[in-house]
Amino acid sequence: MNFYITYFFIAIGLFGFSAMFALFGVYAERKVSAFIQDRLGPTETGKYGTLQTFADILKMLQKELIIPTAADKVLFIMAPAIIFIAVYMGFAALPWAPGLVPSKLNLGLYYIFAIISIETLGILMAGWGSNNKYSILGAMRSAAQIISYEIPAGFAIISVVMIAQTLNMQDIAMQQGVLSVEKIKFAGFWDVTHIGGIFSWNVFRAPHLLIAFVIYFIASLAESNRAPFDIPEAESELVAGFHTEYTGLRFALVFLAEYSMMFLVSMVAVILFLGAWNTPLPNIGAIQLANWTTGAGWGILWIILKTLTLIGIQMWIRWTLPRMRVDKLMALCWKVLTPLAFACMLASGIWRLFLM
């Protein structure tokens, strides 16, 4: 019985974290976009506009939940919940620190990749259930985009898995620091097992993993419907995409899922490529920086800082680059990223056989 109570509180905690991050993320995006465009952003609601997102959610709570007359009511109501739950359940397998993971799954990486794919089903349900031509166009674009970009993202992930020889995300994290029980070599040649820090991160263990990281990061932008890959939500063409007909809390759930997805894909990138909860500080002779800054508290700090850095880059890209045309978006996926990611996967196999 105690186990079930523990699971319940973990689930509530993860939901609370994703909700609070969404509120923080919306505020941060407004401030980042304002800074990039030489504006002020929110200033009136609370000190420096910090209460603006709380005011927005309060407004959404008061809005009427409208269902279009000709909509498929079951699909229309279920879609936002499925979109959010698919992303929310992915948090279960993410390791936050040494010995701190909500669910220690041997197939954790496979589980995350599988569960977030269900988001596509929710998006299609939202578009079709709305009985709106703009919504269904946005849903079809989104499904085509997400399914396509899962291919190079999957190959990039397999590149890491072939080096790490495990799908357990905690084990992948453990291999990238001073707690590793396996030998770690920087660029395949320099033994950094006892040095740790940034030198032991996967992205530096083999040259092609840096390319795999860039491929995964670009694909993650498309997975999250973030600019320059926000074609499904192209307001200039589709009004607002697959969520055109949604109001109130249902609309809020869709955007809660988007910002949760931003955090999820960024944290997966950190775990696979950027050392996970391991410190970036190496041991230098008698100055054991890596040993001193490794532990549960430090682990949570490092993984959150790294994840927030990637999220900041996502926001920077959104407010810097223009939206891609849909044919260019697909050409980038199938003609550039997929062949490169496949080459990285082959390189990982060769690297594992001959240099490890």
Side-chain angles (χ1 to χ4, degrees):
M1 187 63 183
N2 290 335
F3 286 112
Y4 291 113
I5 294 171
T6 304
Y7 296 152
F8 177 77
F9 279 110
I10 289 172
I12 292 295
L14 289 176
F15 177 79
F17 174 81
S18 62
M20 291 305 297
F21 170 74
L23 292 174
F24 164 77
V26 172
Y27 174 77
E29 181 128 47
R30 286 173 169 175
K31 283 296 188 181
V32 168
S33 66
F35 175 76
I36 290 172
Q37 297 174 344
D38 199 18
R39 297 185 289 106
L40 293 177
T43 57
E44 299 300 320
T45 315
K47 186 72 170 177
Y48 305 114
T50 49
L51 298 179
Q52 184 61 57
T53 49
F54 291 95
D56 291 340
I57 196 67
L58 184 62
K59 178 183 71 175
M60 286 184 178
L61 283 168
Q62 298 175 69
K63 281 186 175 290
E64 183 182 357
L65 295 174
I66 298 170
I67 301 176
T69 306
D72 184 319
K73 291 180 176 55
V74 175
L75 295 184
F76 187 84
I77 293 170
M78 288 178 61
I82 288 177
I83 292 170
F84 171 70
I85 289 170
V87 179
Y88 163 68
M89 289 179 68
F91 282 83
L94 296 177
W96 293 83
L100 184 60
V101 56
S103 180
K104 190 175 181 181
L105 301 173
N106 290 331
L107 298 174
L109 190 55
Y110 180 81
Y111 162 79
I112 289 175
F113 205 60
I115 202 73
I116 62 175
S117 300
I118 298 173
E119 184 196 19
T120 312
L121 177 62
I123 290 171
L124 284 172
M125 287 170 62
W128 184 264
S130 297
N131 196 24
N132 177 309
K133 61 182 178 182
Y134 297 109
S135 296
I136 190 63
L137 280 171
M140 293 303 293
R141 280 181 171 188
S142 187
Q145 175 178 304
I146 291 173
I147 292 168
S148 296
Y149 275 85
E150 279 177 353
I151 307 299
F155 283 149
I157 288 171
I158 292 170
S159 300
V160 177
V161 170
M162 293 176 75
I163 297 294
Q165 292 290 292
T166 179
L167 287 166
N168 187 318
M169 300 193 77
Q170 187 71 298
D171 289 347
I172 293 173
M174 197 75 71
Q175 290 179 16
Q176 299 178 71
V178 289
L179 298 181
S180 175
V181 294
E182 295 186 12
K183 185 176 288 187
I184 308 170
K185 292 184 177 180
F186 179 85
F189 301 102
W190 177 28
D191 188 351
V192 293
T193 310
H194 302 294
I195 296 173
I198 194 171
F199 301 111
S200 60
W201 294 0
N202 275 339
V203 75
F204 299 119
R205 289 178 72 181
H208 67 277
L209 289 184
L210 181 58
I211 301 170
F213 167 65
V214 173
I215 292 168
Y216 173 82
F217 184 73
I218 294 171
S220 72
L221 293 177
E223 291 271 326
S224 307
N225 286 335
R226 299 286 299 178
F229 305 103
D230 59 342
I231 283 288
E233 299 168 13
E235 295 92 343
S236 57
E237 304 157 45
L238 297 171
V239 186
F242 63 87
H243 49 70
T244 300
E245 299 290 353
Y246 284 96
T247 58
L249 275 180
R250 294 192 186 112
F251 181 81
L253 264 181
V254 171
F255 274 86
L256 178 58
E258 180 176 319
Y259 279 87
S260 297
M261 186 70 157
M262 285 172 61
F263 192 93
L264 179 67
V265 296
S266 296
M267 191 163 170
V268 169
V270 167
I271 293 165
L272 294 182
F273 297 99
L274 303 180
W277 38 255
N278 288 289
T279 176
L281 306 174
N283 289 329
I284 306 171
I287 305 173
Q288 302 287 297
L289 294 176
N291 292 340
W292 297 339
T293 56
T294 297
W298 282 106
I300 294 171
L301 174 68
W302 293 127
I303 202 163
I304 288 178
L305 286 178
K306 293 173 189 177
T307 303
L308 291 180
T309 300
L310 288 186
I311 291 168
I313 294 171
Q314 287 183 349
M315 294 178 180
W316 179 16
I317 289 170
R318 174 174 182 175
W319 298 101
T320 305
L321 300 179
R323 180 180 292 130
M324 291 185 74
R325 211 171 66 196
V326 67
D327 61 316
K328 298 290 186 183
L329 181 144
M330 287 302 182
L332 174 67
C333 174
W334 292 107
K335 295 182 179 179
V336 180
L337 296 185
T338 300
L340 269 177
F342 190 73
C344 286
M345 186 177 68
L346 290 177
S348 281
I350 295 167
W351 195 271
R352 182 75 198 183
L353 280 173
F354 298 106
L355 291 172
M356 292 185 72

